[in-house]
Amino acid sequence: RICAETPDNQFLPATGRLDVYRKPACTSFERGAVRVDDGVREGDAISPFYDSMVAKLIVHGRTRAEALARLDAALAQTRIVGLSTNVQFLRHVVASPSFAQANLDTALIPREAGVLFHQDKVGLNLAVAAAVAQTLLAERASEGKDPFSRRDGWRPHGLTVRRFDFEYQGEALQASLTYLHDGALQLALGEASGLLAFDALPAENGTLMDLRFMGQRQTVQTWQREEVVHVFCDLGATTIIEIDALAHAGEAAHDVGRLTAPMPGKVVSFSVKAGDVVKKGQPLAVMEAMKMEHTIAAPADGTVAELLYAPGDQVAEGAELLKIATAG
């Protein structure tokens, strides 16, 4: 079952639009080595009012090993952008010792938790290289005959060094790209540095490239939505935020005391009122979405300043539910 959910966050259901929905070569609603049964198309929305399932993926093989390999390859070719899904989690399940050896029971997930959750098979270096390469390919595509349309860093003497700002898995970082005189590109990320090379490949949508960096060579496909770059390859999938510094000029460094709805849904109840002193982790509110109730907890010690909704109200994803004044 391919579902709109976030396994690394206790399988919290996800909602949103299927901006990109690409399936492996498959049959639908009939027997086949790889079969996908679904009722959605690219551009459809997954709402909070129905089940979170996007599709069923079914594979057949002559042996369990062949079926597992076929299943992993089909999951690797399933590419969804617009909302969180369990596709990568399913790849981790398929590769886990318990599932591979058919040691199946209801304790499989907690038993294999170490290899199922918070896994990043793509890695920081490849994610940064893919984001930089995508940017450069987009710039090349916009070049015209006017030499001033070029952004390749050419200058008659010296080297051009270009800075990129990213956020990856909650951590801010910087990368620098040096345009060498022989046309090569040197990408540095902290103490890691290497030549970056890439070639564009034909693609109906997104950016498809043959990417080489730091001893890795991967066929990578990317899609960018605002500042978020979605990276897919045989190793797995990840996201990285390419920060536009000018777009964020003047913004506050952080936003303190806001508690927002993790998805569209209905406010069921509040367990606090304005003026209450709360501790980090204390339950504050309950929301209902996709047939499930979700508890909103305090991120830090503080005092409830204001409740912004009432029980029974429908709220949008990201809506601020209440304000907390913190000691900091």
Side-chain angles (χ1 to χ4, degrees):
R1 291 168 55 98
I2 295 175
C3 295
E5 62 187 13
T6 309
D8 286 345
N9 189 16
Q10 300 181 348
F11 296 94
L12 185 74
T15 60
R17 183 176 179 271
L18 292 166
D19 292 334
V20 175
Y21 177 46
R22 302 301 163 91
K23 298 178 286 187
C26 61
T27 60
S28 294
F29 298 100
E30 62 182 28
R31 183 181 293 274
V34 178
R35 167 179 164 178
V36 176
D37 294 350
D38 58 13
V40 296
R41 295 175 296 180
E42 188 167 286
D44 286 351
I46 304 298
S47 77
F49 306 111
Y50 301 99
D51 190 273
S52 63
M53 187 171 69
V54 175
K56 288 183 181 178
L57 171 62
I58 307 116
V59 302
H60 291 273
R62 290 169 297 180
T63 64
R64 182 174 182 82
E66 182 180 75
L68 287 172
R70 189 167 286 164
L71 180 57
D72 185 62
L75 288 167
Q77 295 162 19
T78 301
R79 297 175 178 182
I80 297 175
V81 172
L83 72 170
S84 177
T85 72
N86 65 344
V87 171
Q88 298 308 309
F89 173 79
L90 293 175
R91 292 193 70 188
H92 303 329
V93 171
V94 170
S96 69
S98 290
F99 196 86
Q101 298 167 16
N103 181 19
L104 308 176
D105 55 58
T106 55
L108 186 151
I109 289 179
R111 184 169 64 249
E112 298 282 7
V115 296
L116 298 184
F117 298 103
H118 303 289
Q119 302 297 303
D120 180 14
K121 303 297 185 180
V122 176
L124 173 61
N125 289 345
L126 195 59
V128 169
V132 171
Q134 176 192 259
T135 296
L136 298 181
L137 285 171
E139 291 173 356
R140 290 179 186 177
S142 66
E143 289 178 359
K145 295 181 179 179
D146 182 351
F148 292 101
S149 69
R150 296 179 59 179
R151 298 180 61 182
D152 58 4
W154 182 88
R155 60 174 60 185
H157 58 83
L159 297 175
T160 296
V161 180
R162 182 174 175 183
R163 169 178 158 176
F164 289 85
D165 293 288
F166 295 104
E167 182 180 314
Y168 189 67
Q169 298 185 354
E171 297 292 331
L173 57 102
Q174 293 178 5
S176 61
L177 183 70
T178 302
Y179 293 79
L180 304 177
H181 282 307
D182 61 0
L185 300 169
Q186 184 84 18
L187 180 62
L189 179 62
E191 296 182 357
S193 178
L195 293 177
L196 172 66
F198 52 88
D199 297 297
L201 300 174
E204 293 182 5
N205 203 335
T207 301
L208 187 64
M209 69 187 93
D210 176 18
L211 181 67
R212 288 90 70 195
F213 180 62
M214 297 291 292
Q216 289 183 288
R217 182 170 187 170
Q218 288 285 323
T219 298
V220 175
Q221 190 162 24
T222 61
W223 279 271
Q224 184 162 1
R225 295 297 182 267
E226 296 180 347
E227 292 181 312
V228 181
V229 180
H230 299 261
V231 180
F232 297 87
C233 65
D234 285 345
L235 296 174
T238 192
T239 59
I240 184 169
I241 300 173
E242 186 172 353
I243 299 171
D244 182 345
L246 290 178
H248 294 278
E251 290 186 0
H254 54 276
D255 199 354
V256 178
R258 300 180 72 240
L259 280 160
T260 59
M263 69 187 73
K266 182 177 72 174
V267 177
V268 175
S269 64
F270 285 102
S271 55
V272 293
K273 62 183 183 298
D276 284 355
V277 176
V278 297
K279 296 292 185 181
K280 181 178 179 179
Q282 178 179 334
L284 304 177
V286 175
M287 282 189 61
E288 180 184 86
M290 287 185 171
K291 307 177 185 177
M292 297 175 64
E293 289 191 347
H294 309 278
T295 300
I296 311 299
D301 295 351
T303 303
V304 178
E306 184 181 4
L307 304 183
L308 301 176
Y309 288 92
D313 287 349
Q314 290 286 335
V315 297
E317 181 178 358
E320 188 175 6
L321 302 177
L322 67 160
K323 294 179 182 291
I324 289 183
T326 61

